[in-house]
Each structure stands twice: as C-alpha cells, then as structure tokens.
C-alpha cells in the first residue's frame, strides 16, 4: 500500500470513529460541553475529507484557507445560535 | 505538484462550484440555526422525531464513498485502470445506498405526517436534505459515467483530470452532509 493510500485509510477510520463518537456524545452530553464536542468533531471531519480525500492539502493556500477559514466562521456562528 | 492558485486539484471551475455550494448551504443552515434560536421548543421536539441512527449510518456510508473515490483516483494516477474502476464502482454503490437509506427516512417521515408544511423545522429539514439528496443523485450519475470511461481506458495516469473533477463533486456532497448532519440531527 502506498503512503497516500495508507493516509486515506487512516483518515477514513478516524472519520468513522468521530462520527460514532459525536452521535454518542450528542446523546450523553448536554449544554455547551455537548455543543463544543459535536462541533469540534464536525470541524475535524470536514478538515479530514477536504485535506485528504479532496486533496486540498495539494492546493494553493488561497483555496485551503478560504474553505477552512469559512468553515471555522460558519461553526462559530452555529455555536452562537445554539448556545 | 506545483501549488498554482489557478490549478487546484480537479480544476478551478469545480472549486468555484464547491465554494458557491458550500456558501449557499451554509446560509440555509445558519437561517435554520437563527430560526431555531427563536423557537427552541418547537425545533427540539421536532428534531426528536428524526432517525439519528439512520443519519449516522448514512454519514458513515458517505464517508466510505469518499474514501473509495480517493483510492480510485490514487490507482488511476498509477495507471491501474481496472483497480481504479473497482474503487469507483464501490463509491457509486455507497451513493446508491445513501439514497436508499435517505429515501426510507423520508418514507417514515411522510408516514407520520411530517411533511414540508408541518412546521418551520420540517420546512428547513425537507429543503436542506432534499437539495443535498439531489446533489448525491447527480454525483452518482457523474461517477457512473466516469466508471465506464475508466474501465474502457479512456483515462490514464497522464490524463485523469475529468475523474479528479468528478471526484471533487462527490467529495463536495460529503462536505455539505458533514455540515448538515450535526446541525439537523445532533445539536440541541
């Protein structure tokens, strides 16, 4: 297995685990703690898919910071509306 | 690979589309979040009727599809068309599975009378998820066309641009779902 394929596999396993964990945490944790955990897990998953699968890591900083920066602002606003 | 602003992976056009789509869905999700902050009880009680388990399975299905497509592109870059086509076929099947699971979720909702007009929560739920559903359907059609072309050897290790572009559209569906899933199903 090549290096890139290994990274894809590790990313996929991490994404699946984060999905299951965020589902479980959303049911067991309440309030701002639950909100923070689910949002942080979602941001991490978005970074994993975009940087590794979509190969954003190979793109110019403009695309990288544009997309990921927008996402952070988006989740900050979601956090404000939900808290 | 040279990091040129005009040549991101998959081409500049698909990246403009990805940005426009993500901004559009974000506006919808933020509008949902704002309206929820004004009607917390209504949104929370309506959210309780959603199938979190099915949505979690569907998230894993889409993430698996993204993984399979990424593997397919890696093999194509090495000129392994047969293996690449197999990965892409796997991605297509995950797309179809997502649509079936989502369709069954819609069936359950309609059976219980939770249609678009029931309340504000369900108006957002139907509009946001149905637009995403259409995107996944389009992505499955694109991947199917790419699958046959890769299998026939139309694309090679030197010529895989279209496959990368189709893959980018597929991953965009993942990204949009990763924004929808926590807000609609998990956060309360």
């Amino acid at each position: 297995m090549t290096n890139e394929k290994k990274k894809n596999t590790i990313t996929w396993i991490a994404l699946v685990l984060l999905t299951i964990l965020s589902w479980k945490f959303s049911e067991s944790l309440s309030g701002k703690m639950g909100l923070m955990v689910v949002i942080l897990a979602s941001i991490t998953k978005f970074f994993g898919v975009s940087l590794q699968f979509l190969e954003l890591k190979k793109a110019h900083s403009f695309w990288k910071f544009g997309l990921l920066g927008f996402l952070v602002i988006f989740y900050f606003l979601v956090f404000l509306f939900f808290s | 690979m040279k990091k040129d602003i005009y040549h991101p992976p998959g081409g500049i056009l698909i990246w403009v589309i990805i940005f426009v789509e993500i901004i559009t869905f974000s506006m919808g999700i933020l509008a949902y979040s704002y309206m929820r902050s004004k009607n917390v009880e209504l949104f929370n009680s309506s959210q309780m009727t959603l199938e979190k388990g099915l949505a979690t399975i569907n998230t894993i299905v889409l993430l698996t599809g993204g993984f399979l497509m990424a593997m397919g592109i890696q093999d194509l870059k090495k000129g392994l068309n047969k293996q690449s086509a197999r990965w892409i076929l796997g991605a297509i099947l995950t797309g179809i599975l997502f649509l079936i699971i989502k369709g069954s979720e819609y069936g359950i909702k309609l059976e219980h009378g939770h249609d678009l007009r029931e309340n504000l929560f369900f108006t957002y739920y139907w509009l946001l998820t149905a637009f995403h559903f259409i995107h996944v359907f389009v992505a499955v059609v694109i991947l199917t066309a790419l699958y046959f072309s890769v299998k026939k050897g139309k694309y090679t290790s030197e010529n895989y641009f279209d496959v990368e572009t189709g893959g980018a559209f597929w991953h965009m569906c993942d990204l949009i779902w990763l924004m929808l899933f926590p807000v609609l199903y998990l956060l309360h």
Side-chain angles (χ1 to χ4, degrees), chain A residues 10-80:
Chain A
I10 293 166
T11 305
W12 173 64
I13 293 167
L15 290 169
V16 171
L17 288 176
L18 275 173
T19 302
I20 296 167
L21 284 176
S22 57
W23 171 40
K24 287 290 164 199
F25 278 130
S26 77
E27 292 191 330
S28 57
L29 292 175
S30 57
K32 282 192 179 174
M33 187 53 136
L35 198 60
M36 291 269 281
V37 169
V38 173
I39 287 179
L40 283 176
S42 302
I43 291 175
T44 311
K45 281 158 65 182
F46 193 100
F47 274 40
V49 171
S50 54
L51 290 170
Q52 186 59 33
F53 294 169
L54 190 51
E55 297 192 308
L56 188 64
K57 62 184 178 181
K58 293 180 184 169
H60 189 274
S61 308
F62 170 80
W63 301 104
K64 223 179 288 180
F65 292 113
L67 188 66
L68 301 180
F70 178 81
L71 181 87
V72 171
I73 294 167
F74 165 78
Y75 272 117
F76 175 70
L77 291 173
V78 168
F79 179 79
L80 287 183

Side-chain angles (χ1 to χ4, degrees), chain B residues 52-65:
Chain B
K52 276 188 187 181
L54 275 185
T56 305
I57 292 167
N58 244 354
T59 307
I60 294 170
V61 168
L62 265 195
L63 291 171
T64 304

